[in-house]
Amino acid sequence: MLPILCLALCGLLTGTRADPGALLRLGMDVMNHEVQSAMDESHILEKTAAEAGKKRPGMKPIKGITDLKVKDVLLPVITLSFVPGVGIFQCVSTGMTITGKSFMGGNMEILVVLNITATNWLLQDEETGLPMFKSEGCEVILVSVKTNLPSNMLPKVVNKFLDSTLHKVLPGMMCPAVDAVLVYVNKKWANLSVPMPVGQVGTVKYGLSSTPTTTASYIQVDLSPVVQQQEGHIIKLSDAKEDLEVPEGYAEGSSQLLLSATFLTAELTLLQKSFDVKIRDMKIGKLPPQTTETLAGFIPKVAEVYPEPKPLVTQIKINKPPRVTMKTGKSLLHLHGTIEMSAARRRSKAPVSLFILEVLFNLKIQYSVHGDRLQIATSLDRLLSLTQKSSKICAFDEQEMTGFISDYLQEAYVPVINDVLQVGLPLPDFLGMNYHRSELDIVESALVLNLKLE
Ligand SMILES: *[C@@H]1O[C@H](CO)[C@@H](O)[C@H](O)[C@H]1NC(C)=O
Ligand SMILES: *[C@@H]1O[C@H](CO)[C@@H](O)[C@H](O)[C@H]1NC(C)=O
């Protein structure tokens, strides 16, 4: 017990807990599902029973019973409970029929119903850095023992003998099964730390920022995601102002994934360069024709320079890293950049720059989940400021263009952004989690995915 205790405690002691960029809260629903499916998929009890039933050289015969065989393992019922500060208490109730030749000579069938209990410590694997369960103190409790022999043929002494023999034999037979199930569950964390691509621009990798903790009603795993550009540069998450916390109000036993606004900001920073575009279309949605003639409506001088209407070329550049913010029920993407409008020229000649505006605007974000990705779609929330950075034609009042630029951003630029965002942001891949039924809530500084199992 001691080395394990140290593992757990040392993790806590060394942990000046790093600010997590994401957080997983796993309730009993997920843990039950995981352990149950590990049990089913691994067929571990059946395997164990089959193994135990095999004759092996060197295996000590059980005194009084020969030709020992195990058959008909009952479907195990698993009961889990959280042990605060420790992990999970696991009870597997099952049963089996053991056949053999009794010391009295006849064929004997023993129906054993038993509970296998163990404490599964939740630790952080030193090698992989991933969550890891390790079981301790496995015990087999006989719930009932029945034989095919009439009870009057089983005096107390025999009963006692069976009981003690089974007590000696069963732990060695059944406890490895508990360990094997845990190995199975532990393996299901392996993909968490695998870098996942965000289009061609970079990767996101989730890792633990501290040893997972257990309370009376959930396991909490703090994640510190690493957002890395294709060229290798890591985008640091800015320090969050407040701790990431699951808000009140989620059902007891339910599970949530929280993604902080700072983490989403880092992920969108990965895409910043793709937000720079040059748009040359004359006809865009409901917008007036993108020509110098339309522009002349705001800047009369343009009509003098271009008596013949010329198509406009608009270049938008995002000069500062995008920023995601969240208030209850609303999330915004803040963008700061420049809009340069130029008049196109014939053939391969470069367009002539007319002016550059500095622009600050917000897009409203709508989140959804598609497969293992968080999908983001935006629409214009507000144009916050518009200032003239330079003008090649003449000074003009850019404020008069507010409506024109707002419409332009919504009709021409937002579709470009939404197109870029279609790559989706990878969600943590752990325990084979399927996100498609999760419900999304925007809370203070974070997005909550309320995880729903199939
Ligand atoms: C066996 O486990 C079941 C389910 O957890 C429990 O209800 C029962 O009391 C246990 N029996 C014994 C003898 O421990
Ligand atoms: C890890 O990811 C691979 C590739 O998507 C998948 O085939 C495998 O089943 C995953 N492993 C686990 C343990 O979820």
Side-chain angles (χ1 to χ4, degrees):
M1 177 78 93
L2 254 182
I4 289 162
L5 242 172
C6 175
L7 269 181
L9 287 180
C10 298
L12 285 179
L13 292 179
T14 51
T16 38
R17 284 163 85 99
D19 233 345
L23 179 158
L24 254 178
R25 176 183 279 192
L26 300 176
M28 212 23 109
D29 58 350
V30 166
M31 293 323 298
N32 268 329
H33 180 264
E34 277 323 306
V35 173
Q36 188 68 56
S37 67
M39 210 77 183
D40 296 346
E41 287 167 34
S42 61
H43 298 289
I44 196 66
L45 280 182
E46 291 91 325
K47 276 187 204 158
T48 309
E51 199 60 29
K54 270 187 202 157
K55 271 203 184 132
R56 266 170 299 176
M59 195 174 100
K60 275 191 186 162
I62 301 164
K63 208 172 137 198
I65 305 174
T66 55
D67 268 351
L68 182 83
K69 285 201 181 68
V70 179
K71 57 172 201 180
D72 305 333
V73 176
L74 296 181
L75 203 64
V77 175
I78 302 167
T79 318
L80 302 177
S81 49
F82 288 119
V83 184
V86 174
I88 290 181
F89 182 77
Q90 183 183 9
C91 175
V92 182
S93 307
T94 182
M96 65 189 68
T97 307
I98 300 172
T99 61
K101 288 210 191 311
S102 81
F103 58 95
M104 301 206 270
N107 283 332
M108 176 180 246
E109 262 192 12
I110 313 168
L111 175 66
V112 198
V113 176
L114 49 95
N115 284 353
I116 311 161
T117 62
T119 302
N120 301 329
W121 286 76
L122 178 57
L123 309 167
Q124 186 177 5
D125 188 323
E126 278 184 351
E127 219 165 285
T128 62
L130 297 171
M132 175 182 76
F133 286 107
K134 197 170 163 65
S135 87
E136 279 269 304
C138 174
E139 269 186 70
V140 173
I141 301 159
L142 288 177
V143 177
S144 70
V145 179
K146 285 185 192 136
T147 81
N148 60 339
L149 303 171
S151 59
N152 59 4
M153 282 183 69
L154 277 178
K156 254 191 183 154
V157 213
V158 180
N159 245 339
K160 225 176 182 178
F161 167 73
L162 271 182
D163 189 73
S164 71
T165 304
L166 289 177
H167 256 126
K168 269 188 219 138
V169 175
L170 286 175
M173 202 168 112
M174 303 311 294
C175 288
V178 171
D179 289 341
V181 167
L182 289 187
V183 167
Y184 211 84
V185 174
N186 288 341
K187 272 193 195 151
K188 289 197 167 189
W189 285 99
N191 280 353
L192 183 66
S193 55
V194 175
M196 289 177 282
V198 179
Q200 305 286 319
V201 292
T203 58
V204 174
K205 184 177 86 175
Y206 292 88
L208 267 60
S209 66
S210 55
T211 310
T213 50
T214 312
T215 72
S217 47
Y218 57 83
I219 284 173
Q220 180 162 321
V221 185
D222 292 343
L223 300 170
S224 54
V226 178
V227 180
Q228 191 162 15
Q229 285 173 338
Q230 210 63 58
E231 315 86 66
H233 172 72
I234 289 176
I235 298 170
K236 276 189 79 176
L237 270 64
S238 62
D239 290 328
K241 277 180 225 89
E242 60 261 343
D243 280 349
L244 202 52
E245 254 181 59
V246 179
E248 309 261 318
Y250 288 100
E252 177 83 22
S254 64
S255 304
Q256 288 82 32
L257 168 67
L258 260 77
L259 304 173
S260 70
T262 53
F263 169 44
L264 293 175
T265 291
E267 290 191 290
L268 291 187
T269 301
L270 212 48
L271 296 168
Q272 181 182 344
K273 281 206 186 99
S274 327
F275 293 159
D276 292 349
V277 287
K278 202 179 246 180
I279 300 168
R280 299 163 178 279
D281 303 322
M282 276 240 279
K283 196 79 204 90
I284 303 170
K286 293 173 287 190
L287 297 177
Q290 296 299 300
T291 61
T292 49
E293 192 178 14
T294 301
L295 211 52
F298 306 102
I299 314 166
K301 183 87 194 234
V302 172
E304 280 173 37
V305 183
Y306 297 97
E308 295 257 314
K310 298 274 180 206
L312 287 177
V313 176
T314 305
Q315 188 159 18
I316 300 180
K317 281 188 181 156
I318 300 302
N319 304 325
K320 289 193 180 163
R323 198 163 55 86
V324 175
T325 58
M326 306 206 209
K327 297 256 166 247
T328 308
K330 189 174 187 184
S331 179
L332 295 174
L333 175 60
H334 303 255
L335 294 174
H336 189 163
T338 54
I339 298 179
E340 178 172 17
M341 288 199 160
S342 308
R345 286 195 291 174
R346 243 180 267 150
R347 296 202 189 89
S348 54
K349 285 182 179 169
V352 183
S353 173
L354 302 172
F355 56 82
I356 300 176
L357 297 171
E358 194 163 336
V359 63
L360 196 63
F361 58 105
N362 288 341
L363 303 182
K364 188 166 178 277
I365 302 182
Q366 262 186 321
Y367 298 95
S368 61
V369 169
H370 190 73
D372 59 355
R373 304 246 148 185
L374 179 69
Q375 294 299 143
I376 292 181
T378 65
S379 57
L380 185 70
D381 179 67
R382 217 148 69 87
L383 174 60
L384 296 171
S385 88
L386 195 62
T387 44
Q388 220 178 109
K389 213 169 164 222
S390 66
S391 170
K392 300 272 165 54
I393 9 169
C394 61
F396 59 93
D397 182 4
E398 66 272 18
Q399 298 316 316
E400 281 182 17
M401 296 181 78
T402 304
F404 174 71
I405 297 293
S406 291
D407 290 348
Y408 190 85
L409 289 173
Q410 175 60 43
E411 293 289 324
Y413 188 54
V414 163
V416 172
I417 292 272
N418 287 343
D419 213 37
V420 170
L421 291 174
Q422 275 196 3
V423 290
L425 305 175
L427 293 167
D429 182 358
F430 69 100
L431 302 179
M433 179 55 65
N434 187 334
Y435 289 98
H436 91 275
R437 289 190 60 215
S438 35
E439 289 164 359
L440 278 62
D441 293 314
I442 298 168
V443 300
E444 200 64 28
S445 306
L447 177 70
V448 182
L449 280 79
N450 196 16
L451 306 176
K452 303 267 170 155
L453 297 172
E454 298 298 302

